[in-house]
Amino acid sequence: MRRLARIISPLGFLFLAGLLAISAVAADSVDKISPKPAFRDPVFDGAADPVVIWNPQIKRWWMFYTNRRANVAGLSGVAWVHGTRIGIAESADGGATWKHLGDAEIEMPASIGGAQPTFWAPDVATDMNGVHHMFLTVVPGIFEDWQHPRTMVHLVSRDLRKWANPAPLTLASDRVIDAVVRVLPNGNFRMWYNNERDGKAIYYADSSDLKTWTDRGRCQGVEGMCEGPYVFGWKGHAWMLVDTWKGLGVYRSDDLDLIAWKGQPEKLLDKPGKGTDDGVNGGHPAVVVSGGRAFCFYFTHPGRSGTISPNDPENLELRRSSIQVVELFEKDGRLTCDRDAPLQIVLQPSHPPLSHWEFSIFPKSQ
């Protein structure tokens, strides 16, 4: 790992500042205990697929999430997972508690999203110029099964609320979901995503401008069916978490090109917790590294432990979902967590304009 640290450019370490905390939230001198669950959507009760980012304009933490229509009656098959907008929740106390703000205002022409677009699983990041970027899965309609196209779309925003200039991306197939985008030490962009046409495999693609992408195929070492990849740097390593529907798979890469990944035998969040809405496996993660600590946000279906099926009965307890958060720990190159331990959390604000985007995937060891 020392060899890797020596050859990362000083600019890469400067970019790393976006992930490192520089000051505590002024209003909080003592970490607060995060409740379980951390958040439930008050409109549809279907919050899932969270991503958490510092909003430099209003100096609050924002959570973007897929908002499924869990409590809407009369929806058959998986229609309740379609027709959804991206919800936003806000935290004024460093991520301990969250309140619902509404939906992201996303510009989406019918040529991309159809007459009733479905929005899933955003990734959101901020660049050096203070421009926010969203990579969003768009389904062109409301459907009762899973057999329909999904397109990855790039949007931009100045305020994190209104998103414009939608640009569909050409990737490996017409059924791609769950993007996460990072900047590599060489300054190029990399996207990891799920290609449903190839057995729910994790693929990756590279770009120099966020517009034109060259697909590289399957990720080496990331095995089996999974979705929801999330890539982050922490403790001198690059990590990837994936949703296996039986907990979170954990992979690590110590190469500057992030081509080869090695899995650890143990999953995270595969054993039921004891907290409210936390008695099932955790899914679709996002990680915030702050003050040297790493916090994993994930969602649960409290009434079920498996995957969603079009044959499921119409039942609120089967459909509803909650957002949870847990601290990660690293030892000897492996990650663990204790979802039942009380969690004291204050996410420290990022220094604008360097925000959530990890410009160097290999942080200094902390």
Side-chain angles (χ1 to χ4, degrees):
M1 205 47 234
R2 289 192 296 271
R3 177 184 65 83
L4 292 172
R6 286 198 300 270
I7 60 179
I8 297 176
S9 69
L11 182 60
F13 283 133
L14 173 64
F15 288 157
L16 170 63
L19 244 243
L20 298 179
I22 62 167
S23 61
V25 176
D28 293 274
S29 58
V30 179
D31 292 356
K32 294 184 177 180
I33 301 294
S34 177
K36 282 190 174 293
F39 178 74
R40 286 177 67 176
D41 178 76
V43 180
F44 293 121
D45 210 5
D49 311 337
V51 63
V52 175
I53 182 172
W54 173 250
N55 186 326
Q57 279 78 29
I58 64 172
K59 296 180 172 51
R60 296 284 189 270
W61 285 93
W62 275 22
M63 178 194 298
F64 294 82
Y65 59 92
T66 304
N67 197 8
R68 300 161 172 175
R69 300 181 295 165
N71 59 10
V72 176
L75 299 178
S76 58
V78 291
W80 63 278
V81 186
H82 293 77
T84 56
R85 297 295 182 264
I86 298 303
I88 303 174
E90 179 181 282
S91 176
D93 56 10
T97 60
W98 296 86
K99 68 176 183 179
H100 179 250
L101 285 187
D103 294 336
E105 300 173 23
I106 295 174
E107 173 187 313
M108 194 62 58
S111 60
I112 301 175
Q116 295 178 300
T118 293
F119 299 150
W120 287 343
D123 185 42
V124 181
T126 304
D127 69 21
M128 289 286 291
N129 298 315
V131 177
H132 309 295
H133 299 261
M134 178 184 287
F135 297 87
L136 179 68
T137 300
V138 178
V139 185
I142 297 174
F143 304 104
E144 295 184 347
D145 58 42
W146 302 121
Q147 307 306 314
H148 300 276
R150 301 90 156 80
T151 301
M152 202 66 66
V153 177
H154 173 229
L155 302 106
V156 295
S157 173
R158 282 289 182 180
D159 63 3
L160 286 172
R161 195 64 181 262
K162 296 180 180 179
W163 295 88
N165 302 333
L169 308 182
T170 300
L171 298 171
S173 80
D174 63 342
R175 288 184 56 190
V176 296
I177 64 172
D178 299 349
V180 59
V181 174
R182 294 290 176 262
V183 181
L184 301 178
N186 64 10
N188 289 328
F189 299 89
R190 177 161 296 166
M191 174 189 295
W192 292 265
Y193 66 94
N194 179 232
N195 182 6
E196 296 192 314
R197 289 289 189 193
D198 189 11
K200 298 288 290 182
I202 302 303
Y203 272 51
Y204 69 105
D206 290 335
S207 174
S208 61
D209 59 6
L210 297 176
K211 298 177 182 178
T212 302
W213 293 82
T214 300
D215 204 86
R216 305 296 189 188
R218 284 192 176 212
C219 285
Q220 295 180 21
V222 182
E223 301 175 349
M225 298 176 64
C226 58
E227 63 184 15
Y230 196 87
V231 175
F232 64 102
W234 186 50
K235 297 291 186 180
H237 304 286
W239 305 93
M240 180 191 296
L241 303 183
V242 297
D243 185 351
T244 70
W245 311 289
K246 297 179 181 179
L248 305 181
V250 181
Y251 295 87
R252 196 185 83 205
S253 179
D254 293 333
D255 302 323
L256 278 178
D257 55 11
L258 299 185
I259 298 297
W261 296 84
K262 182 178 181 180
Q264 74 175 41
E266 306 86 3
K267 290 183 174 65
L268 303 178
L269 306 174
D270 57 331
K271 297 177 176 60
K274 299 177 182 177
T276 303
D277 283 4
D278 207 29
V280 295
N281 56 267
H284 200 118
V287 176
V288 177
V289 175
S290 180
R293 301 165 69 189
F295 301 94
C296 178
F297 291 80
Y298 61 98
F299 85 96
T300 64
H301 278 293
R304 66 187 312 141
S305 58
T307 58
I308 298 169
S309 168
N311 299 319
D312 290 338
E314 182 183 340
N315 184 302
L316 173 61
E317 286 305 309
L318 285 178
R319 292 180 174 180
R320 75 178 185 90
S321 52
S322 299
I323 305 296
Q324 308 276 3
V325 59
V326 68
E327 185 169 3
L328 301 179
F329 298 92
E330 185 271 343
K331 183 178 181 180
D332 299 328
R334 293 193 175 186
L335 297 185
T336 61
C337 65
D338 182 356
R339 67 198 300 180
D340 292 328
L343 177 62
Q344 291 184 314
I345 178 173
V346 168
L347 303 178
Q348 300 176 358
S350 300
H351 187 278
L354 297 173
S355 188
H356 167 80
W357 215 320
E358 296 174 62
F359 284 90
S360 174
I361 202 66
F362 288 106
K364 296 177 182 177
S365 296
Q366 301 166 26

